Amino acid sequence: METVGLERIEAAARLLAPVIRRTPTVGSRVLSERVGAQVLLKCENLQRTGSFKPRGAYNRIANLPAAERARGVVAASAGNHAQGVAWSAAELGITSTVFMPIGASLPKLVATRAYGAEVHQVGDTIDESLLAAQEFAERTGATLIHPFDHPDIVAGQATVALEILEQVPDVGTVVVPTGGGGLLAGVVVALHALAPRVTVIGVQAAEAAAWPDSLAAGKPVRVPRMATMADGIAVGLPGAVPFAHVAELVGEIVTVDEDALSKALLLCLERAKLIVEPAGAAGVAALLSPLRDRALPGPVVTILSGGNIDPLLLTRVIGHGLSAAGRYLAMRVTIADRPGALSALLGVVGRAGASVVDIVHSRTGMWLEVDEVEVSLTVETRGPAHRDDVLEALRDAGFRVRAEL
C-alpha cells in the first residue's frame, strides 16, 4: 500500500497555496476556561466550499494524468466532499459527476450543482451512492475521487496541520473530527514528522463510531448502523490508507453523543460567532465532555472541519442544544379544570423568571380525572439550576409536574 510522507505533504502544500484559503486560528476563552489550557479553533468552516475537503480533492485531481482528466471525475458524498470535488474540477477545467444520497441536505445539493457538477441522487446511504459512482466510473472511464482512501487525498488534508504549526508553533494537542480518517491521518503524519511532541486525538460521533472497533481488531471494521446528526463524519468503514497511518500514529480516538454535539454547535454559534455543522463541532464536543477533565498538553487546537449546515437542521439542533444545556424545560403539568387554573400556573412560571415558548392545553387523556386538565408546557430557562428552581416553584404551588427534558 502506498503511504504518505512529509515530501508528499509539502508538495501538496505548494500545489494548493494559490487556490486554498489559509484559514484563521482563533482563541476561545470559554473553552480555555473549561479545559484548563489555552484552546484555539482552526476554522476550516471558513474554507472554500465551507469545509476542509477541497484540500484533498484538488490535490488528487490536479495530480491526475492529462488523459484521465480528459475523461472527467466522479465522486460520492453527502455534501462536503461533493462540493470539494465539484469546485476543484471547475477550477481545473474538467467535468465532474457526483452521486449523493436521496436524503442529502438541499443546500449541499444546490451548492454542488452550482459549482458545476452533474448531480445524481441514488440510494439512502453514502455506501449506496458510492456503489453507483463506482459503476459510473467503470462504464465511462471517469476517475473515482474517493473522499478519504487515497494518498493524495490524505496529503492534501495534511496541509491543515502545516498551517496549525505556522499559526500555533507551540501547539501541544490537536483534536480532529474523524469519519473515514483522511483528515486525521493527514494531520497525524504531518505532525509526527515535524512536531512529534504533539498529541493528536480523533473524535467520532458515538452513533457512527467505526474507528474504536477497527483499531481493536487491527483492520477496518464496518459499523453495523449509524444514526447521527453529524452526517459529515458518518462513515461506516474507515479507509485502508488512513487506517494504516492512524493505527500506527494516533494514540486515542474518543466518541461524543448527540447532546454533546448539539451543545458544541450552540457554543460555537453563541460564543465564537461561528456557524459550524455538527460534524465540524465534534472536536469542541469532545472538549466539553470526554476530554474536559483531562490534563491535555496545551495549547490545544481543535479543527472546525466544516460549516455546511441546512438552516432547518440548524434550527432543530439549536433547540436540542438549548435543551441539553438546560436552557429549555419541557414538562407536563396537571391542573384543575376550572377558570383561572391556567392563569395561576403561568403566574408561577412568570414569577420564577421563566419565559413560555410553547403551550398545549388538553382535556383528553385516560390518566386524567374528569375535573383535571393536562398542560404541555415548554419554557426557556437560564440553565440547569434555574430549571430546577422553576420545577420546585411549581411543585411548591401544588402542581403535579412531570419534566420531559
Side-chain angles (χ1 to χ4, degrees):
M1 181 187 301
E2 193 175 2
T3 59
V4 180
L6 182 60
E7 183 177 348
R8 193 170 196 151
I9 294 169
E10 291 176 334
R14 291 191 294 272
L15 178 67
L16 293 172
V19 294
I20 291 295
R21 289 176 182 155
R22 179 187 170 92
T23 56
T25 301
V26 299
S28 171
R29 183 178 61 82
V30 63
L31 284 173
S32 298
E33 290 174 350
R34 295 187 187 187
V35 172
Q38 183 185 15
V39 175
L40 301 103
L41 309 173
K42 176 60 171 169
C43 300
E44 283 296 288
N45 59 311
L46 303 179
Q47 185 53 262
R48 292 186 183 276
T49 79
S51 85
F52 71 95
K53 288 292 189 177
R55 295 176 183 267
Y58 189 96
N59 189 52
R60 171 81 170 100
I61 296 171
N63 280 310
L64 290 175
E68 288 190 43
R69 285 205 212 180
R71 293 192 294 270
V73 295
V74 60
S77 167
N80 286 345
H81 179 60
Q83 292 174 75
V85 168
W87 173 82
S88 300
E91 287 289 305
L92 292 164
I94 64 176
T95 61
S96 63
T97 303
V98 175
F99 289 83
M100 302 178 75
I102 293 171
S105 162
L106 180 60
K108 291 181 179 181
L109 180 68
V110 171
T112 302
R113 285 183 172 138
Y115 287 123
E118 180 180 335
V119 177
H120 302 278
Q121 290 186 270
V122 176
D124 296 321
T125 67
I126 287 295
D127 289 340
E128 293 174 355
S129 299
L130 182 57
L131 181 61
Q134 290 168 336
E135 292 172 348
F136 179 89
E138 293 169 3
R139 185 173 71 254
T140 65
T143 299
L144 178 66
I145 307 300
H146 198 281
F148 47 82
D149 204 12
H150 192 279
D152 282 340
I153 294 289
V154 173
Q157 319 305 28
T159 60
V160 176
L162 301 187
E163 291 183 16
I164 290 173
L165 285 176
E166 293 171 358
Q167 293 166 331
V168 191
D170 59 341
V171 60
T173 302
V174 177
V175 184
V176 188
T178 304
L183 179 60
L184 179 62
V187 167
V188 75
V189 169
L191 293 177
H192 181 74
L194 297 172
R197 70 182 188 283
V198 179
T199 298
V200 178
I201 301 173
V203 184
Q204 288 214 282
E207 299 301 319
W211 277 95
D213 287 346
S214 297
L215 292 173
K219 62 180 181 180
V221 174
R222 184 175 298 278
V223 68
R225 61 179 297 274
M226 296 183 291
T228 176
M229 68 178 80
D231 62 339
I233 53 174
V235 176
L237 183 69
V241 173
F243 185 85
H245 298 89
V246 171
E248 178 185 359
L249 301 174
V250 174
E252 185 177 12
I253 292 180
V254 300
T255 62
V256 293
D257 62 22
E258 301 298 286
D259 279 357
L261 287 167
S262 57
K263 287 179 184 177
L265 188 147
L266 185 62
L267 184 144
C268 289
L269 186 62
E270 273 195 313
R271 304 301 296 272
K273 316 306 178 190
L274 292 167
I275 296 177
V276 184
E277 63 189 273
V284 174
L287 295 178
L288 293 175
S289 48
L291 300 178
R292 179 171 179 173
D293 298 323
R294 295 266 295 276
L296 298 174
V300 177
V301 174
T302 184
I303 299 172
L304 303 182
S305 57
N308 293 314
I309 183 168
D310 187 324
L312 293 176
L313 175 60
L314 179 61
T315 300
R316 294 197 297 271
V317 172
I318 288 173
H320 189 270
L322 289 169
S323 297
R327 302 268 295 278
Y328 275 173
L329 168 61
M331 54 191 163
R332 295 180 182 273
V333 186
T334 302
I335 64 174
D337 187 11
R338 63 171 181 263
L342 180 58
S343 177
L345 168 64
L346 297 179
V348 175
V349 170
R351 287 190 293 276
S355 178
V356 174
V357 175
D358 186 50
I359 185 169
V360 176
H361 184 268
S362 175
R363 287 187 169 85
T364 60
M366 295 179 61
W367 56 91
L368 294 173
E369 299 294 337
V370 293
D371 60 346
E372 290 181 334
V373 171
E374 183 177 74
V375 177
S376 297
L377 186 63
T378 303
V379 300
E380 184 178 350
T381 60
R382 295 189 295 273
H386 185 219
R387 180 179 59 186
D388 292 342
D389 290 343
V390 173
L391 288 170
E392 184 179 359
L394 288 168
R395 287 167 179 149
D396 287 347
F399 293 104
R400 295 207 318 266
V401 184
R402 184 171 77 251
E404 294 185 329
L405 295 173

